Amino acid sequence: KRLELSMELCSEDHEYNLDYPSDITVWINGIEAGTWTCPSDFGGRRGKYNPDWWPDKNTQYGMLKTWILTESGTYLDGELTNSLSIKDYHLSQNAYISVRLGIKEDAKHVGGINLFGDCFGDYPQNIRMKFVF
């Protein structure tokens, strides 16, 4: 009935840069689920869960983003990104579900990506995929 994919991420520049947007796209089983324009490679304050050895000059935290596939469409943080239903992603076609993050070649903002785990950034979680049956 529903798939939720959430992660903490942000743009990537050398060290950090508060004015550095990136158009970050998620594909599930090779099908585009939506693009988020991250406004920044966040820094200037420490991430809540960063280890002591992580330098202050580096990227510190991101934003928690959630892509949701439902029977009525695909959403990013509650906003409709496309009309594809969860069935259109063919989740049971393979023994696995492919998830890919990237920047499209023709993106307006072609910065990179920082992806945080449970011991970095502001949210104590790794990439999380949740299913509702």
Side-chain angles (χ1 to χ4, degrees), residues 1-25:
K1 301 260 182 213
R2 180 179 174 111
L3 179 146
E4 298 179 11
L5 178 69
S6 67
M7 64 197 82
E8 181 179 356
L9 65 167
C10 74
S11 301
E12 166 54 20
D13 192 14
H14 179 69
E15 296 174 347
Y16 74 88
N17 183 342
L18 296 178
D19 186 26
Y20 198 77
S22 290
D23 295 333
I24 301 170
T25 299

Side-chain angles (χ1 to χ4, degrees), residues 24-78:
I24 301 170
T25 299
V26 168
W27 293 266
I28 298 175
N29 283 347
I31 300 167
E32 186 176 327
T35 299
W36 170 56
T37 300
C38 178
S40 180
D41 178 0
F42 295 108
R45 68 154 175 88
R46 290 197 60 79
K48 294 176 184 176
Y49 296 96
N50 293 355
D52 292 340
W53 56 264
W54 188 251
D56 290 345
K57 67 179 182 159
N58 290 349
T59 302
Q60 295 295 314
Y61 59 95
M63 296 177 72
L64 188 64
K65 306 307 287 183
T66 304
W67 282 262
I68 299 174
L69 317 181
T70 71
E71 293 174 342
S72 64
T74 303
Y75 300 83
L76 172 56
D77 294 338

Side-chain angles (χ1 to χ4, degrees), residues 83-104:
S83 60
L84 296 175
S85 78
I86 190 168
K87 293 176 185 170
D88 294 321
Y89 292 90
H90 310 288
L91 299 180
S92 60
Q93 188 173 29
N94 297 312
Y96 60 90
I97 295 172
S98 169
V99 174
R100 184 176 138 221
L101 308 171
I103 310 294
K104 295 182 197 176

